[in-house]
């Protein structure tokens, strides 16, 4: 293992600037592909999956069941985080990233080939749930690996920016998924329901091949090589993280949970809210989400750049304050049923989310030393995902059914942001520009 790493990384013979560029491109592209696959499911869950996989239930129950399978993808993330975190801290970042990309690509294509309830009965929801679970495992290893391999190839002056690059993959993945979905939604008759929805899933295979070609040219990071050369590797990195860095895990989870809850509501549940509660056409929300995601790409890029000038922790706190201020106006604007105001609500929501999403990466990754960074980042990020985004659409569905008002969901978002601000006080990012 050490010999392989030394063969891959010869510090005196590396074009560091070139590897930094490859790392940045690889992280953005890989993250985009993974999130395209993951978000594609979320989009289809709001539009068509209740009819395809849970047709025997009333609309409310079918939506709950569909978003339950969505939540399962988040529940699986910590499992993927533990497994790939162990692999990433013991063998290397690159191996884990190649594995997660292959797994994500295969499961996404299989979802696109899956027969519906009308063809195979109860096996349809069972199989889609299993595949969703495997998707979650792959994401559990992808995010921390992408962040680390980009950040650890960065220099002292741009590590924060490099760490945020994979975050751009989230809106890019959402843009791709939403754009392709919008294209096929326009099919006439029942073409979209019978075969059109499958094409976006199957197209994922081409993106995966491209991502693999780029990642094969990426070397292991200097930080990981230094760990191999100078430090005895822990037998079980996961246990070492829990034992030696519990404060970093707990504070990191709750300081970042609001961003996932906000995204789960803004990016996914809003479409369901608009269709079922407001009685509006789904294309309004799909297109508004697409525009919001486009703007978020720029917003994340700018915020990532600023994170090297200002402490990422302060930027994250500012984002949570903005979230508190926008939670109520968001649903007020949606309730107007005005297309222009709906677009405004969603676009501003995406910009606010960007101010939390961009600094999240350096805040979490910089909380752990290099020899436990993959496992620590994976555990922290994935636990916040389970508590936050995984259940956000499900909880939002329940709150709307219970209180018949979107403002109940606003209260849910505000409470999460207040908890995040409190937890942020205990976050320590002393490894921000270290190694």
């Amino acid at each position: 293992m050490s010999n392989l790493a030394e063969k891959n990384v010869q510090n005196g013979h590396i074009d560091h600037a070139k590897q930094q560029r490859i790392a940045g491109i690889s992280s953005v592209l890989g993250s985009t592909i993974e999130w395209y696959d993951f978000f594609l499911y979320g989009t289809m869950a709001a539009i068509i999956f209740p009819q395809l996989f849970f047709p025997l239930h009333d609309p409310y129950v079918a939506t709950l069941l569909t978003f339950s399978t969505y939540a399962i993808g988040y529940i699986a993330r910590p499992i993927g985080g533990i497994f790939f975190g162990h692999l990433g801290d013991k063998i290397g970042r690159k191996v884990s990233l190649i594995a997660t990309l292959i797994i994500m690509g295969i499961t996404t294509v299989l979802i696109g080939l899956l027969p519906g309830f009308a063809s195979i009965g109860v096996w349809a929801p069972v199989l889609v749930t299993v595949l969703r679970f495997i998707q979650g495992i792959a994401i559990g290893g992808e995010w921390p690996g992408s962040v680390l391999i980009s950040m650890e190839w960065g220099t002292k002056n741009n590590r924060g920016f490099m760490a945020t690059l994979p975050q751009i993959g989230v809106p890019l993945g959402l843009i791709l998924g939403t754009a392709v979905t919008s294209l096929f939604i326009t099919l006439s008759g029942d073409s979209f329901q019978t075969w059109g929805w499958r094409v976006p899933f199957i197209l994922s295979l081409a993106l995966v091949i491209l991502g693999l070609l780029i990642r094969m040219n990426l070397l292991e990071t200097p930080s990981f090589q230094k760990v191999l050369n100078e430090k005895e590797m822990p037998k079980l990195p996961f246990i070492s993280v829990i034992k030696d860095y519990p404060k970093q895990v707990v504070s990191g989870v709750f300081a970042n949970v609001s961003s996932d809850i906000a995204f789960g509501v803004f990016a996914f549940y809003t479409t369901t809210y608009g269709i079922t509660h407001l009685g509006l056409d789904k294309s309004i929300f799909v297109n508004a989400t697409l525009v919001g995601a486009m703007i978020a790409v720029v917003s994340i890029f700018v915020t990532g750049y600023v994170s090297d000038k200002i402490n990422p922790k302060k930027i994250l706190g500012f984002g949570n304050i903005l979230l508190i201020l926008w939670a109520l106006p968001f649903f007020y604007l949606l309730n107007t049923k005005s297309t222009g105001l709906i677009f405004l609500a969603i676009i501003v929501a995406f910009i606010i989310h960007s101010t939390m999403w961009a600094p999240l990466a350096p805040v979490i990754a910089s909380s752990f030393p290099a020899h436990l960074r993959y496992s620590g980042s994976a555990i922290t990020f994935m636990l916040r995902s389970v508590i936050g985004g995984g259940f956000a659409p499900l909880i939002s569905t329940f709150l709307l059914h219970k209180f018949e008002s979107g403002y109940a969901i606003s209260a849910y978002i505000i409470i999460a942001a207040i908890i995040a601000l409190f937890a942020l006080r205990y976050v320590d990012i002393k490894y921000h520009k270290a190694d």
Side-chain angles (χ1 to χ4, degrees), residues 32-299:
T32 299
I33 295 168
E34 297 268 4
W35 289 108
Y36 165 83
D37 293 346
F38 200 77
F39 290 153
L40 190 58
Y41 184 98
T43 302
M44 294 300 181
I47 295 175
I48 196 171
F49 279 8
Q51 296 80 35
L52 284 174
F53 297 110
F54 307 98
L56 300 182
H57 301 280
D58 67 61
Y60 169 63
V61 175
T63 301
L64 280 179
L65 290 173
T66 300
F67 282 132
S68 293
T69 63
Y70 174 80
I72 284 172
Y74 280 82
I75 294 172
R77 287 185 182 190
I79 298 175
I82 293 172
F83 176 78
F84 288 107
H86 178 89
L87 195 65
D89 281 330
K90 297 284 284 186
I91 300 177
R93 287 44 166 146
K94 178 179 176 178
V95 174
S96 291
L97 286 173
I98 290 175
T100 59
L101 196 57
I102 292 173
I103 293 171
M104 195 68 174
I106 291 174
T107 54
T108 303
V109 171
L110 289 177
I111 290 176
L113 299 174
L114 192 65
F117 189 92
S119 299
I120 59 174
V122 71
W123 281 106
V126 170
L127 290 175
V128 77
T129 300
V130 170
L131 292 173
R132 181 63 175 176
F133 186 84
I134 298 174
Q135 273 192 332
I137 290 176
I139 282 288
E142 168 65 26
W143 181 87
S146 290
V147 169
L148 297 195
I149 208 159
S150 185
M151 185 182 82
E152 291 178 352
W153 272 112
T155 63
K156 182 179 179 180
N157 296 323
N158 71 354
R159 295 191 85 188
F161 173 72
M162 291 295 292
T164 62
L165 286 180
Q167 304 297 75
I168 297 175
V170 173
L172 285 178
L174 185 58
I175 289 169
L176 281 177
T178 305
V180 175
T181 301
S182 298
L183 178 64
F184 285 93
I185 276 180
T186 59
L187 291 172
S188 61
D190 61 352
S191 296
F192 178 73
Q193 185 162 346
T194 55
W195 62 269
W197 70 271
R198 301 179 182 277
V199 179
F201 288 95
I202 297 173
L203 286 176
S204 171
L205 185 60
L207 295 173
V208 170
I209 293 173
L210 177 61
L212 287 174
L213 290 175
I214 294 178
R215 284 190 171 173
M216 293 300 291
N217 291 315
L218 184 63
L219 303 180
E220 277 295 354
T221 69
S223 296
F224 183 72
Q225 176 62 37
K226 184 178 179 181
V227 168
L228 286 179
N229 292 338
E230 300 178 1
K231 194 175 185 67
E232 182 179 352
M233 303 297 290
K235 292 183 178 180
L236 294 173
F238 165 72
I239 300 299
S240 296
V241 168
I242 299 300
K243 179 182 177 181
D244 299 332
Y245 298 93
K247 175 187 172 183
Q248 285 84 342
V249 172
V250 174
S251 62
V253 167
F254 287 100
N256 294 286
V257 71
S258 58
S259 65
D260 232 32
I261 290 175
F263 195 79
V265 173
F266 297 152
F268 296 123
Y269 184 72
T270 298
T271 301
T272 298
Y273 180 83
I275 296 171
T276 61
H277 186 69
L278 300 180
L280 299 175
D281 188 84
K282 57 180 174 287
S283 63
I284 296 174
F285 297 90
V286 171
N287 292 330
T289 299
L290 181 60
V291 174
M294 289 177 177
I295 294 175
V297 172
V298 178
S299 186

